[in-house]
Amino acid sequence: MTKIDYKKEYKDLYLPKAAPALIDVPPMRFIMVDGEGGPEKDEYQQSISVLYTLSYTIKMNGKGSAGYFDYVVPPLEGLWWGEDGGFDINNRDTWRWTSMIRQPEFVTPDVFSWAMDAAKKRKPELDLSKARLEPFAEGLCVQIMHVGPYADEPITLEKVYEYIRQNQLVNRAGPERKHHEIYLSDPNKTKPENLKTVLRLPVERA
């Protein structure tokens, strides 16, 4: 059986070019955890532990599930917004976020419930109470590949804003449709200048 790698199967979603482009993102299913504050905070780090624990529990032990297939666990993603709506990338105290990892198509609510029970037994010290399985329909967006430190994202985002202006689009990033990032690199193993992050903003046609 061929192992599915979503990054390779769906290059339009995970490997955009270093220039803005319009994309219509299809519905997908994610395990999600909500929180507040910057990614250096314990709450955010705990959310990552929860997401990977559940995702690998499903990958390694879900072979009895109907429709199971072997796959590479997809990358960590994040939705970001501010307490007053829009996402101010320089005002970390106002940040709100949803950390999430895409799940294969065979992961149903029953599979997720089983994984929650199995993960609780394996790691009773981990608080899984905030985790949920949820469909996410993002729709029309503009995205770009950002290469470099996270702190330099505003430079890349300016290209996105200019593309939106030039193509008669409206930026809809806010509390409903959110600023979206996909983390393709492990910051613990990658030099800051080599980090790859997909930046995605929801839009609509003017």
Side-chain angles (χ1 to χ4, degrees):
M1 182 183 296
T2 302
K3 182 183 291 188
I4 299 296
D5 186 337
Y6 284 90
K7 297 191 301 297
K8 295 178 180 179
E9 292 291 324
Y10 300 93
K11 292 181 180 180
D12 56 332
L13 298 175
Y14 297 102
L15 296 173
K17 299 185 183 300
L22 195 64
I23 183 171
D24 194 359
V25 183
M28 290 172 269
R29 190 172 289 166
F30 289 82
I31 297 178
M32 297 179 168
V33 178
D34 297 330
E36 302 178 2
E40 72 281 358
K41 300 290 183 64
D42 288 343
E43 184 177 8
Y44 184 82
Q45 297 303 319
Q46 283 291 314
S47 77
I48 294 175
S49 296
V50 168
L51 290 172
Y52 278 111
T53 294
L54 289 169
S55 295
Y56 277 99
T57 296
I58 292 169
K59 172 181 167 57
M60 303 305 295
N61 302 286
K63 295 183 179 180
S65 305
Y68 177 89
F69 53 84
D70 197 11
Y71 63 98
V72 177
V73 171
L76 177 69
E77 306 187 30
L79 304 177
W80 298 87
W81 69 101
E83 60 185 1
D84 296 323
F87 180 51
D88 181 352
I89 202 165
N90 296 309
N91 192 357
R92 302 166 78 89
D93 291 339
T94 68
W95 288 1
R96 305 290 184 267
W97 46 262
T98 298
S99 290
M100 57 193 201
I101 292 179
R102 181 180 181 175
Q103 299 302 304
E105 290 72 16
F106 69 84
V107 180
T108 63
D110 285 344
V111 172
F112 177 70
S113 179
W114 161 83
M116 287 281 283
D117 290 340
K120 287 175 184 175
K121 293 176 182 177
R122 288 180 52 239
K123 292 192 174 183
E125 75 283 359
L126 197 59
D127 181 8
L128 303 175
S129 62
K130 291 185 178 181
R132 67 186 187 279
L133 181 70
E134 188 169 299
F136 180 51
E138 197 164 20
L140 195 65
C141 297
V142 175
Q143 67 179 13
I144 191 172
M145 180 69 79
H146 170 71
V147 180
Y150 301 130
D152 290 348
E153 287 182 8
I155 300 172
T156 301
L157 284 170
E158 282 299 327
K159 299 178 184 178
V160 176
Y161 300 146
E162 182 61 26
Y163 178 93
I164 290 173
R165 288 191 291 268
Q166 291 181 356
N167 289 274
Q168 293 76 54
L169 299 168
V170 180
N171 181 1
R172 289 304 185 196
E176 299 300 325
R177 299 180 67 201
K178 302 172 176 71
H179 173 104
H180 188 173
E181 301 185 358
I182 304 175
Y183 308 104
L184 301 178
S185 307
D186 183 345
N188 297 314
K189 300 177 180 178
T190 308
K191 293 180 179 180
E193 61 269 25
N194 294 329
L195 291 170
K196 291 184 177 181
T197 307
V198 179
L199 302 180
R200 186 181 291 163
L201 294 183
V203 298
E204 66 180 29
R205 300 185 190 279

